[in-house]
Amino acid sequence: MKIKNIIIGAWISWCVIAERLASKWEEVLIIDKRNHIWWNCYDYYDENWILVHKYWPHIFRTSYDDVYEYVNRFTTIINYQHCNYSFVDWKFINFPFNFNTLYSLFSLEEAKKIETTLLKYFLYWNQFSILDLRNKIQGIKWNDKKILDFLINYIIDKTNKNYVMKQWWLSIDEVDKGIFDRIPIKLSRDNRAYSNKKYQWMPNEWYTKMFENMINNKNISILLNIEAKKIINSVEYERLFRTWPIDEYFDYKYWELDYKKTLFKFEYYNTNSYQDYPVISYPNDYDYTRITEMKKLYPNSTAHKIEKTVICKEYPLIWTELAYPVEIERNLTLLEKYIDETKKLDKVYFIWRLANYKYQDMDLTFKKALDFINNL
């Protein structure tokens, strides 16, 4: 068998690259060991016509105009402004932290004092990570610093420290500090989780259909339910693209890299609603880290009319599915060795979070894939 391009792993990056190569009349073969493509974005309708995200909730948001324009070629969109909630001190609070969170957790007097102190030094609508806030308040008046130190320590203790240990089995000092950029403190009353993004939406049909539209091209072939290594030596190709882990490609020559793993447990209920919000995180209590009620991700869904619902509980550190790279010193040192090995290869390309060992949001995955193919 002879083909110009082989892609191992039918994930977001390679759906983009396959579509772009096929549009140039190049043949592409996609191989994936799962029984479906689109990796963790895979969704489907259950027997009650509730749209289920099989792995975890995916809310598309981006500020990249080229990504927004590209994706819109393959789906129509529904405006959806997502709000996150967290269970803290037996209350459901807005998260990331904003001024509404303050008033739901503290007395009116305490909350007003913290808000006034923050706005004394920073503009309304500002947002920054809790670590950036800690750096920014160095040198301010002692009484004001005491107030903001209390807030910082409260947020870290109640929403960060235990969650990091629960999710990663790491102390807060070990974990990659970039994680904190994803959960900023917001100096506003805007409850939207991604208010800093220009576009936020869900596909009008579903993610699976969107990706099917992307690779609906006679130049693209797909093999599912098969390990690539079982057939790769029988295929003659010009270029090999991989999204599976970089250490796996080199047979763990320098040892295995660590990846966060998660078990997704679905539960079904004969009720119209299980919880008040689409997604609730549990940083301190219970074994799971998050509960998603699927139909609440789609406010206009007809599923809201039926006395059925489905939820997904996420349990960390178990199961076999690799989710996120664990970007700590010992793993990054190993990664450098594998990156050096890739420099010895010709026409073999690694991209996406497992192959590059770097956490990426969905929009950045699209962006990097588009930039990559434009420079290929």
Side-chain angles (χ1 to χ4, degrees), residues 251-263:
D251 293 322
Y252 311 106
K253 180 177 180 179
Y254 300 109
W255 204 253
E256 290 187 43
L257 294 165
D258 295 324
Y259 295 88
K260 172 188 170 293
K261 299 176 182 180
T262 303
L263 171 68

Side-chain angles (χ1 to χ4, degrees), residues 73-88:
R73 292 169 50 192
F74 308 104
T75 186
T76 54
I77 64 172
I78 302 171
N79 179 48
Y80 173 68
Q81 302 296 320
H82 184 66
C83 298
N84 275 328
Y85 290 84
S86 189
F87 186 63
V88 174

Side-chain angles (χ1 to χ4, degrees), residues 117-339:
T117 305
L118 283 167
L119 293 178
K120 183 176 179 180
Y121 295 97
F122 308 106
L123 294 176
Y124 195 88
W125 289 116
N126 269 359
Q127 66 177 49
F128 24 71
S129 78
I130 200 66
L131 300 183
D132 284 342
L133 177 60
R134 173 176 278 170
N135 291 331
K136 290 175 181 293
I137 66 171
Q138 301 305 314
I140 68 172
K141 291 181 179 179
W142 183 84
N143 283 342
D144 292 341
K145 186 174 184 299
K146 185 178 178 181
I147 293 169
L148 297 186
D149 277 337
F150 164 79
L151 175 64
I152 290 168
N153 292 331
Y154 183 92
I155 294 175
I156 290 175
D157 288 343
K158 296 292 186 177
T159 67
N160 296 156
K161 184 172 67 177
N162 292 336
Y163 185 84
V164 166
M165 178 59 69
K166 192 177 179 182
Q167 183 85 308
W168 303 89
W169 204 242
L170 295 170
S171 73
I172 201 166
D173 295 322
E174 292 178 287
V175 75
D176 177 58
K177 298 304 181 287
I179 290 174
F180 296 99
D181 293 331
R182 297 173 50 79
I183 43 174
I185 180 170
K186 302 165 67 173
L187 306 190
S188 71
R189 287 178 170 77
D190 190 339
N191 290 334
R192 293 176 300 161
Y194 312 114
S195 55
N196 60 328
K197 298 295 184 179
K198 186 175 180 179
Y199 308 106
Q200 184 186 158
W201 50 267
M202 300 291 262
N204 189 36
E205 294 173 298
W206 61 96
Y207 282 109
T208 295
K209 183 63 176 177
M210 181 180 81
F211 288 111
E212 285 176 349
N213 291 340
M214 287 176 62
I215 61 170
N216 182 21
N217 189 302
K218 64 181 181 181
N219 294 315
I220 298 175
S221 302
I222 302 172
L223 290 178
L224 300 177
N225 276 323
I226 189 167
E227 291 279 0
K229 61 184 178 182
K230 293 182 178 180
I231 63 169
I232 196 69
N233 292 330
S234 64
V235 182
E236 185 179 345
Y237 56 86
E238 292 184 24
R239 293 183 296 206
L240 176 65
F241 304 91
R242 283 187 60 92
T243 55
W244 280 108
I246 189 172
D247 54 340
E248 178 187 275
Y249 179 83
F250 294 104
D251 293 322
Y252 311 106
K253 180 177 180 179
Y254 300 109
W255 204 253
E256 290 187 43
L257 294 165
D258 295 324
Y259 295 88
K260 172 188 170 293
K261 299 176 182 180
T262 303
L263 171 68
F264 304 96
K265 181 183 177 184
F266 288 91
E267 298 178 2
Y268 302 84
Y269 294 92
N270 294 320
T271 183
N272 181 266
S273 176
Y274 178 87
Q275 60 190 26
D276 290 338
Y277 313 109
V279 181
I280 301 174
S281 60
Y282 292 81
N284 309 306
D285 304 284
Y286 307 108
D287 294 336
Y288 42 82
T289 55
R290 183 164 62 174
I291 297 179
T292 301
E293 186 169 7
M294 293 297 166
K295 67 183 183 181
K296 286 191 167 68
L297 294 170
Y298 300 88
N300 297 323
S301 170
T302 56
H304 289 282
K305 299 177 181 179
I306 63 174
E307 293 298 310
K308 301 282 185 179
T309 195
V310 55
I311 68 166
C312 178
K313 293 179 178 177
E314 298 178 32
Y315 293 86
L317 305 175
I318 51 179
W319 208 34
T320 57
E321 289 291 344
L322 307 181
Y324 306 114
V326 183
E327 297 174 65
I328 58 177
E329 185 176 355
R330 68 174 181 269
N331 288 325
L332 296 178
T333 300
L334 280 179
L335 177 63
E336 287 302 318
K337 295 180 179 180
Y338 286 119
I339 289 175

